[in-house]
Amino acid sequence: MKRHIKQFWLPVLAVLAAACSDFDLQDQFDAKFHKVVGVAENAFQSDDVQSFYDLGVGANVRFHISRGGSDPSLTAMVSLTPMTAEEIAEYTTYYTALPAEYFTLPESVTFAPGEERKAVDVNLTGDQIAALKRALDEREPDALPYALAVKLSSEDGTTVKSDKAYFIRPVIVNDTPDFTIGSEDHTYKATDEETILFFKRGETELTVDMALAAALPVDVKATVEIDETLLDAFNTAHGTHTKAIVNMERTELEYPAGTTSVGVKLTADDSGFDRKEDVVVPLLVKLDYLGIERKVFVVFGNAIPLSKEMIRFADGKANDWSLGTFPDNLIDGDRETWITTGGNNNNWWSTGDKDYGQSLIIDLGESYNQFCLRYQTRTSLQTLSQGFYDTVTQDGRARPHEIGLGVGSDGNAWTFLGKTLVADYMTAPDDWTSKVYELDEAARYIRFGIVRTWEPDPNNEQKMIYPGDAGWWSELSELYIYDGKRKFFE
C-alpha cells in the first residue's frame, strides 16, 4: 500500500522535498492507519464445527491473522485472549464461550516488518480434551453448546480491525472416529463389528477400502491379516464356506496424520476352486491405537448359472427377434456382444398398472428367497443400423435409466417389486448392481424390464421417456443373478 501511495504523491514529493528535507509521507496519515491487524478467515461459521477425539493426545485449531495499514515497514503486535460469555453473546446467542481452562493461546503475535500473514494455533492437550469430553457429557441437554472464541487486542499502537477482531468456532469431542470398510457396490452387510464384501462375477482384484470419518492429528497404524480362526464363527452364523485363495499386497497399513483413507488389494487365485462354491476370505482388521477391531469377510459372488433356455422375452417372441443372438450374448462374458430389448409391439413395456418395462423372464431353475441382479452394457458407444430397427447408443442414452422388477412361482403370475431409478441424467452407468431383494415368498422366476431410457432426438427436449412412447430401445451386454438364499445376505 505504501508503494502505491508514494506513486500517487510522486509529483508532489519533488516540490516538498525541496522545501523540507524531513518530510515523511506517513505523517499525512492518522497513526491508527499505520498498523492494522484482523482475522483473515470468516470470523464466525456456525456450521464449521471443530471435532476433537478423546485419544489421549493433543490437538490444535489453526486460524490466520493478517496485517495491512499504510506502513508495512513497522512492527505490529496483538494479544490473543479468550472471549467471555458476555462478549460472544454480542455475535451469537446460539453458543457460549468455551472456558479458557480447556485450551491454551499464545500470549501475543508479532508481525515483523514486511510480514503480512501469521498462523495462530490454539492448542489443547490430551488431558484438556478428556476433561472437555467429561464436561460436555455432564452438561444439561438445553445448555448452549460451546464454541472456541478468541479475540484480538491492541498492543504497541496496533489497530485491531473491529469487524475482524474475533474467531469463533463450535467444538465437539468424540470418542473415536467412525470407521467404514468397503465400497457400497461391493458390500452386502456392514455392522460395527463385521463387514461382508464380495467379488463380483469375473473380478479377480478387489481393493478393500478402509476409511476414517475424520482426519486425526496423529499417525495411526493398522494391520490386516487372514485369520482362519474366524472362518468357524462365520460358518456357524452364515452357513458353510471354504477359504478362498487370494494374495494380499500388504498386511501393515498407516494413516499419516491428516489422512482418512487407505486400502489393501486382494488378488484372487481361483485355479483351485470353482466360483460356484461359497468361498470366503476371512480378514481381521485392527487399529490398535483407536481400539478398533473389525472382522471382514470377502465372499466370491455366487452367480446363478444361466443358460439360453432359462431366458425368454416376456411377450413370447422368438429369440432371433431381438436384433442379435439373444440370449447367448447375455451370458457369454463378452461386453461387446449384446441384445436389444426391441420388438414389433408394445406388450413388453407394460402389463396393466405394473411398469416392468420392455422385459425378459428369467427361470432360475429353483426357488429363492433373496436375489441380487447385475447388468452391464457396452462400453464402446457407436451408432448401429439394423435397417428399420435403428439403435443409437451415443452418450449412453440406450442404457437403462429406470428398471422394473417382478417375481413369480410359475413365470405367468407376477408380484411386482417396484421400479428403481438407475440414473436421472443422460449418461447412465454401464455396470449396475441392484440391492439385495428379500421376498416374502420364494420365487423361481424373475421379470426384469427397462421402464425408461433417454429421449432419442437431440433436437427435442432432453428427458427420460418410456420406450413404448417412441423412446429408444435399450441394449444389454451381460446379465447376472446372484444367489440370495445364503444366510450371509440376511
Side-chain angles (χ1 to χ4, degrees):
M1 181 175 179
K2 183 177 180 180
R3 182 182 69 251
H4 296 305
I5 292 171
K6 284 186 175 180
Q7 288 173 348
F8 175 79
W9 284 92
L10 191 59
V12 181
L13 290 179
V15 176
L16 292 180
C20 180
S21 59
D22 295 329
F23 173 79
D24 188 338
L25 179 60
Q26 296 304 325
D27 292 339
Q28 309 305 310
F29 298 93
D30 192 290
K32 67 181 180 180
F33 296 117
H34 292 182
K35 299 182 292 184
V36 180
V37 175
V39 175
E41 274 89 67
N42 290 330
F44 174 44
Q45 290 179 280
S46 60
D47 59 346
D48 189 7
V49 177
Q50 301 288 331
S51 297
F52 302 104
Y53 294 93
D54 186 10
L55 305 175
V57 296
N60 70 285
V61 178
R62 171 165 290 187
F63 67 98
H64 296 82
I65 57 179
S66 57
R67 64 164 296 170
S70 63
D71 193 350
S73 67
L74 297 178
T75 298
M77 182 181 295
V78 291
S79 295
L80 291 90
T81 56
M83 294 175 71
T84 65
E86 292 74 21
E87 288 172 328
I88 193 176
E90 297 179 13
Y91 303 99
T92 175
T93 57
Y94 295 101
Y95 296 91
T96 190
L98 178 67
E101 64 192 88
Y102 297 117
F103 61 92
T104 303
L105 285 171
E107 293 183 357
S108 62
V109 174
T110 300
F111 287 89
E115 273 192 309
E116 297 180 353
R117 188 178 176 95
K118 301 280 281 190
V120 177
D121 286 332
V122 182
N123 296 305
L124 294 82
T125 66
D127 289 340
Q128 285 176 316
I129 294 174
L132 175 56
K133 178 68 166 60
R134 291 192 296 270
L136 291 172
D137 291 342
E138 294 171 358
R139 300 197 82 203
E140 296 296 329
D142 58 350
L144 288 177
Y146 281 141
L148 176 65
V150 179
K151 67 176 181 178
L152 308 183
S153 301
S154 175
E155 283 194 17
D156 192 31
T158 296
T159 297
V160 175
K161 191 174 180 182
S162 59
D163 62 338
K164 290 270 188 160
Y166 60 93
F167 177 84
I168 299 174
R169 291 293 184 275
V171 297
I172 60 173
V173 180
N174 298 308
D175 292 318
T176 57
D178 291 336
F179 184 61
T180 58
I181 296 178
S183 56
E184 183 177 351
D185 66 337
H186 281 76
T187 302
Y188 280 142
K189 177 182 178 182
T191 68
D192 290 341
E193 297 180 353
E194 178 181 282
T195 299
I196 297 175
L197 307 173
F198 67 98
F199 275 90
K200 296 179 180 179
R201 180 181 176 182
E203 287 181 329
T204 58
E205 292 184 349
L206 177 64
T207 297
V208 181
D209 297 310
M210 292 168 283
L212 294 166
L216 300 178
V218 294
D219 294 345
V220 175
K221 295 184 182 297
T223 58
V224 182
E225 59 183 18
I226 298 176
D227 189 339
E228 296 187 34
T229 63
L230 300 178
L231 193 56
D232 291 339
F234 182 79
N235 287 341
T236 299
H238 305 293
T240 303
H241 297 70
T242 58
K243 191 185 77 169
I245 309 301
V246 298
N247 294 318
M248 187 162 56
E249 64 174 345
R250 52 181 173 168
T251 59
E252 295 185 356
L253 312 175
E254 183 171 316
Y255 300 79
T259 61
T260 59
S261 183
V262 69
V264 58
K265 184 170 69 176
L266 304 177
T267 304
D269 176 7
D270 56 2
S271 60
F273 62 85
D274 186 342
R275 275 186 180 255
K276 296 186 179 68
E277 298 175 349
D278 283 338
V279 292
V280 64
V281 185
L283 302 176
L284 185 62
V285 180
K286 291 182 178 181
L287 284 73
D288 292 334
Y289 187 80
L290 301 179
I292 293 175
E293 183 174 298
R294 186 70 57 81
K295 302 169 186 176
V296 181
F297 300 99
V298 185
V299 181
F300 280 82
N302 188 17
I304 299 170
L306 299 177
S307 65
K308 63 181 180 180
E309 292 78 19
M310 299 170 71
I311 309 173
R312 60 184 171 88
F313 285 134
D315 70 346
K317 291 289 184 181
N319 288 344
D320 61 0
W321 198 258
S322 66
L323 313 181
T325 55
F326 180 85
D328 304 64
N329 289 348
L330 283 179
I331 55 176
D332 63 0
D334 187 350
R335 290 284 292 273
E336 295 307 311
T337 62
W338 64 92
I339 65 99
T340 302
T341 61
N344 201 31
N345 58 57
N346 293 333
N347 293 335
W348 301 359
W349 78 273
S350 80
T351 302
D353 60 346
K354 307 301 184 185
D355 290 328
Y356 296 101
Q358 294 174 312
S359 52
L360 314 171
I361 293 176
I362 302 104
D363 180 357
L364 302 179
E366 60 179 291
S367 296
Y368 294 87
N369 290 310
Q370 297 171 311
F371 71 91
C372 174
L373 178 144
R374 177 190 179 195
Y375 67 75
Q376 294 175 319
T377 61
R378 291 184 303 137
T379 54
S380 63
L381 301 175
Q382 56 186 315
T383 299
L384 304 175
S385 179
Q386 297 284 346
F388 180 75
Y389 304 106
D390 287 344
T391 298
V392 185
T393 61
Q394 74 255 23
D395 299 327
R397 284 175 287 183
R399 294 170 180 163
H401 282 72
E402 187 174 35
I403 68 166
L405 285 174
V407 293
S409 59
D410 61 4
N412 294 305
W414 301 100
T415 298
F416 187 53
L417 298 182
K419 297 183 291 184
T420 298
L421 187 65
V422 176
D424 60 0
Y425 45 88
M426 182 181 293
T427 304
D430 57 30
D431 191 334
W432 183 81
T433 301
S434 76
K435 68 178 183 179
V436 175
Y437 288 90
E438 300 181 1
L439 309 179
D440 295 333
E441 296 182 4
R444 173 172 172 170
Y445 294 85
I446 294 175
R447 182 166 182 166
F448 162 65
I450 312 303
V451 179
R452 289 192 293 174
T453 55
W454 204 265
E455 165 63 48
D457 188 348
N459 297 317
N460 294 345
E461 178 185 357
Q462 296 298 304
K463 61 182 179 180
M464 285 189 292
I465 191 169
Y466 294 97
D469 292 336
W472 287 353
W473 302 328
S474 290
E475 288 186 0
L476 293 176
S477 296
E478 297 296 311
L479 179 68
Y480 310 99
I481 309 292
Y482 291 100
D483 180 353
K485 70 179 182 180
R486 306 302 179 185
K487 292 182 178 180
F488 62 77
F489 281 92
E490 297 176 356

